[in-house]
Amino acid sequence: MMKKKILVTGGSGFFGFELVKELSKKNKVIVVDNNLRGNFDKFKGLKNIKTVECDITNQRLVKKLSKVDEVYHLAFINGTENFYKYPEKVLDVGVKGIINIIEFVKSKKIKNFIMFSSSEVYGTPSRVPTNEKEIIKIEDIFNPRFSYSAGKIISESITINFLRNIDIKYKIIRPHNIFGENMGLKHVIPQIIFKMFNSTNKFQKNKAKIKIQGNGKETRAFCYIKDAVKQTIFISNKIKENGIFNVGFNREKKIIDLIKEIEKILKIK
């Protein structure tokens, strides 16, 4: 069977890297990234991967990309701190990026387009577990925090409407609470670990006092990165209909129980 040629934007990021590794086992993968937060060094020694440094907000550069069979579009500015500090940049990359990539997909007549959205588009959902029919919303248009979810909502709408009457299949992926190696320190699990290590001292290495938000009874349903990647590839390869798909895990865990599990692993009380 001939290998597919797949392009992944934002491929050196947390989710992108694991996705590229899995896709490259059976396909040729072109990784497109501006290396703002990641770098291409991590791909050294891996087969079937070609890296291209490219800013997706630059239409001229995007047009020069090679024709492929599929596109996975992950490129976006992530991180809550960035949402507050640089909301205009978040929206610039999000909106210009999706328009340029969609135009590329249309002009090259690419067969399959997978656009990565986010669970953030639900805001505070009316029900948990949350299904794909939940209303998506921006809860406070004046809060820069929602620049990210606004960009994702716009990206979803552009994907659906620009490809509405064209023979190009699309899937919109909404990941939920993905964790794993190389995710950085900006997420719940690494933040708790980091706080524990920073709060120990030379006299009591096995004890720490940390502060958390809320009372610890808040819940999240965490999903391991490799499982999320398998779900994504399954959706891309096996589901024929266009649509929106949540990717995650449906077992909720209280934050206080998460802390207790980390305590046992690290042997820090």
Side-chain angles (χ1 to χ4, degrees):
M1 184 177 177
M2 186 180 293
K3 290 181 179 179
K4 285 190 291 189
K5 198 174 181 181
I6 300 173
L7 187 146
V8 180
T9 73
S12 66
F14 164 53
F15 201 117
F17 177 58
E18 291 296 334
L19 178 64
V20 167
K21 281 200 302 182
E22 190 64 28
L23 288 171
S24 67
K25 291 177 181 178
K26 296 181 179 179
N27 310 282
K28 293 181 179 180
V29 183
I30 300 172
V31 180
V32 171
D33 209 303
N34 67 354
N35 281 330
L36 183 65
R37 298 183 72 195
N39 63 72
F40 291 147
D41 291 343
K42 62 182 74 174
F43 295 108
K44 286 181 179 177
L46 298 177
K47 296 179 180 179
N48 300 321
I49 297 172
K50 177 185 176 182
T51 57
V52 178
E53 189 166 339
C54 174
D55 182 348
I56 62 164
T57 65
N58 188 319
Q59 188 181 51
R60 180 179 58 83
L61 293 178
V62 173
K63 282 183 176 180
K64 289 182 177 180
L65 295 172
S66 303
K67 178 176 170 57
V68 294
D69 299 304
E70 292 180 352
V71 171
Y72 287 76
H73 178 50
L74 291 82
F76 225 89
I77 294 179
N78 204 345
T80 306
E81 187 177 337
N82 290 321
F83 307 159
Y84 283 106
K85 282 187 175 180
Y86 315 110
E88 73 286 2
K89 290 183 180 179
V90 172
L91 284 164
D92 185 59
V93 171
V95 178
K96 287 181 182 175
I98 186 64
I99 289 175
N100 289 341
I101 292 296
I102 283 283
E103 291 298 339
F104 167 78
V105 167
K106 287 170 60 180
S107 67
K108 301 287 187 180
K109 297 180 181 179
I110 289 164
K111 298 175 184 176
N112 199 20
F113 179 62
I114 300 91
M115 180 254 152
F116 273 68
S117 183
S118 169
S119 60
E120 294 269 341
V121 300
Y122 295 121
T124 303
S126 62
R127 68 176 78 182
V128 176
T130 307
N131 66 37
E132 292 87 346
K133 293 182 180 179
E134 175 74 23
I135 292 174
I136 61 176
K137 55 187 176 291
I138 301 168
E139 296 184 2
D140 181 2
I141 198 67
F142 292 101
N143 187 340
R145 171 73 178 80
F146 297 103
S147 57
Y148 180 75
S149 57
K152 291 296 188 182
I153 289 171
I154 292 167
S155 296
E156 289 192 13
S157 183
I158 287 173
T159 298
I160 292 166
N161 288 294
F162 279 44
L163 301 181
R164 186 179 295 277
N165 299 313
I166 299 175
D167 189 25
I168 295 173
K169 294 294 182 184
Y170 69 82
K171 313 289 189 305
I172 294 171
I173 304 294
R174 292 175 180 166
H176 289 246
N177 296 315
I178 313 302
F179 77 97
E181 300 86 349
N182 304 307
M183 71 185 301
L185 299 175
K186 302 291 185 179
H187 303 270
V188 176
I189 294 174
Q191 278 186 344
I192 290 171
I193 295 169
F194 196 64
K195 282 181 179 181
M196 283 186 176
F197 274 114
N198 274 359
S199 299
T200 58
N201 59 56
K202 62 182 179 180
F203 301 108
Q204 291 184 307
K205 287 289 186 185
N206 63 339
K207 289 187 178 181
K209 188 174 183 179
I210 66 170
K211 183 180 284 188
I212 62 169
Q213 291 180 322
N215 59 17
K217 294 181 180 179
E218 296 83 4
T219 63
R220 285 197 181 186
F222 295 99
C223 179
Y224 183 50
I225 181 66
K226 285 182 170 49
D227 295 326
V229 165
K230 287 178 182 177
Q231 289 182 51
T232 300
I233 294 174
F234 176 87
I235 291 165
S236 174
N237 291 342
K238 301 297 183 182
I239 298 179
K240 303 303 180 184
E241 301 81 15
N242 297 337
I244 296 168
F245 304 90
N246 286 340
V247 162
F249 191 55
N250 62 1
R251 188 180 302 160
E252 292 180 70
K253 183 179 291 292
K254 292 179 182 177
I255 296 299
I256 193 67
D257 292 334
L258 172 69
I259 291 172
K260 288 176 181 177
E261 288 188 22
I262 295 173
E263 281 181 331
K264 289 179 183 178
I265 294 167
L266 297 182
K267 295 182 172 61
I268 296 175
K269 179 63 177 173

